[in-house]
Amino acid sequence: MNLIELVCYFRNSGSFDEFCLSYSLNIKSEVIEIYMEKPFTLDSTIAFFEIEKTEGKLEYVLNGITFFNLFDFFYFIDAVKESNYDKNKLLKDNEIAYKLLNYAIYDA
């Protein structure tokens, strides 16, 4: 899954509970974080980990693959909700994903 696909899923009323179930994520986790492999592009693979596994680290290695923390799911869900209001409704999924990725990379 990439960031555009994730945005599309949740902008179209995707269920967080169902998402967690399909990715074998513990819904009772304190926080689920969204990570990405480098290079950081909209097409790069993203992964999801419970904070209990990552311990909040910026880099997390699993099976020899290094993933980098973008943001947590709470932030992501809030951003997607805002994307469905007012003028943001006109933005396409890839534009929302681009804004989120830029925020993660440049903290802007």
Side-chain angles (χ1 to χ4, degrees):
M1 173 174 275
N2 65 37
L3 196 53
I4 297 170
E5 294 166 333
L6 185 66
V7 168
C8 181
Y9 176 82
F10 281 98
R11 280 188 94 192
N12 291 297
S13 303
S15 162
F16 181 73
D17 291 357
E18 289 177 19
F19 182 85
C20 289
L21 182 62
S22 68
Y23 280 87
S24 301
L25 296 165
N26 180 358
I27 195 158
K28 294 183 181 182
S29 173
E30 182 180 336
V31 174
I32 295 174
E33 300 176 305
I34 301 172
Y35 282 73
M36 180 181 278
E37 295 179 69
K38 283 188 177 178
F40 297 138
T41 69
L42 292 178
D43 294 320
S44 294
T45 300
I46 55 175
F48 316 97
F49 304 106
E50 297 93 345
I51 197 166
E52 292 83 1
K53 291 181 183 174
T54 67
E55 298 175 342
K57 295 177 183 170
L58 293 178
E59 294 181 20
Y60 182 67
V61 179
L62 180 67
N63 299 328
I65 300 170
T66 303
F67 295 92
F68 298 86
N69 187 310
L70 296 179
F71 33 74
D72 65 55
F73 243 104
F74 294 128
Y75 172 81
F76 174 79
I77 295 294
D78 285 345
V80 169
K81 283 181 184 175
E82 286 183 26
S83 76
N84 286 324
Y85 299 133
D86 302 325
K87 65 180 179 184
N88 292 330
K89 269 186 165 179
L90 301 176
L91 295 173
K92 295 180 180 171
D93 294 341
N94 64 324
E95 293 171 309
I96 301 294
Y98 180 78
K99 288 177 181 277
L100 285 166
L101 185 57
N102 274 339
Y103 172 80
I105 294 171
Y106 304 111
D107 196 29

